Amino acid sequence: MTPINLVKAIVATAALVSSSTLWAMGPWGGEGNLENRLGFLSWKLDLSEDQEVQIAAELEMAEQQIAADREQLNLLRTEMRSLQSNFDPLRAEELADAIGESTAALVLNLATSKAAIYQLLDADQQAQLDELIALREEKRGSRRGPQRTGLAPSDDE
């Protein structure tokens, strides 16, 4: 990996990790740089060299796209916040729609990347990854406590 690509991967990873709602990637290796995440997957799933090369390419491409999506989303959110002093309901609606579209693109790009990586694995590796994901979700759930589904505050707040 070239130094420029490594810097891009690190910056993109920082953007991914900074979002508390979307980027708890767990077994996909959401923390650390591209090489650490690939190393984690390789270690846990016993990837072949060919798989490592293909997954690294997918992760790098996904990080670049997701970083661009996050940047666009942050710009839209900043503009929405700027409306507080001079609120324009029509512009706020346009921004809200654009934020929704950007969020959807972000989620779709992540899902597409995960699916592409999943398809590079053999059946045993897919089963191992499924187990890692289930374990991660179980651990995350126990740290977070009961999940709320509604918009109204819960009784304990």
Side-chain angles (χ1 to χ4, degrees), residues 123-136:
D124 288 339
Q125 291 169 323
Q126 290 175 349
Q128 286 176 301
L129 184 59
D130 290 341
E131 288 176 22
L132 289 170
I133 291 169
L135 180 62
R136 173 64 178 217

Side-chain angles (χ1 to χ4, degrees), residues 88-100:
D88 176 357
L90 294 176
R91 182 63 184 146
E93 184 176 355
E94 290 171 357
L95 288 170
D97 289 343
I99 288 169

Side-chain angles (χ1 to χ4, degrees), residues 1-156:
M1 176 179 295
T2 66
I4 298 236
N5 285 339
L6 184 57
V7 169
K8 287 179 183 177
I10 290 169
V11 169
T13 300
L16 293 176
V17 172
S18 69
S19 172
S20 63
T21 57
L22 294 176
W23 304 113
M25 294 171 64
W28 296 95
E31 296 82 22
N33 64 31
L34 177 68
E35 290 170 355
N36 287 346
R37 290 183 298 136
L38 183 59
F40 177 82
L41 288 173
S42 183
W43 171 58
K44 286 293 190 177
L45 304 177
D46 193 27
L47 299 176
S48 69
E49 287 183 30
D50 187 45
Q51 286 175 315
E52 285 183 15
V53 168
Q54 291 175 327
I55 290 172
E58 182 61 42
L59 285 172
E60 190 170 340
M61 183 176 62
E63 285 179 346
Q64 291 172 4
Q65 180 59 52
I66 290 168
D69 291 343
R70 296 267 319 138
E71 183 177 341
Q72 176 65 24
L73 188 57
N74 287 334
L75 290 171
L76 291 166
R77 287 177 176 161
T78 299
E79 186 176 348
M80 180 68 87
R81 282 190 299 272
S82 74
L83 292 178
Q84 290 176 342
S85 61
N86 189 16
F87 191 74
D88 176 357
L90 294 176
R91 182 63 184 146
E93 184 176 355
E94 290 171 357
L95 288 170
D97 289 343
I99 288 169
E101 290 172 12
S102 289
T103 302
L106 194 61
V107 171
L108 178 60
N109 285 331
L110 179 60
T112 300
S113 175
K114 286 181 177 182
I117 291 169
Y118 197 81
Q119 296 307 311
L120 295 171
L121 305 175
D122 64 33
D124 288 339
Q125 291 169 323
Q126 290 175 349
Q128 286 176 301
L129 184 59
D130 290 341
E131 288 176 22
L132 289 170
I133 291 169
L135 180 62
R136 173 64 178 217
E137 289 301 312
E138 182 181 313
K139 287 182 179 180
R140 285 179 61 218
S142 68
R143 285 194 313 259
R144 292 183 177 178
Q147 296 294 311
R148 293 185 7 211
T149 57
L151 296 176
S154 67
D155 292 336
D156 56 1

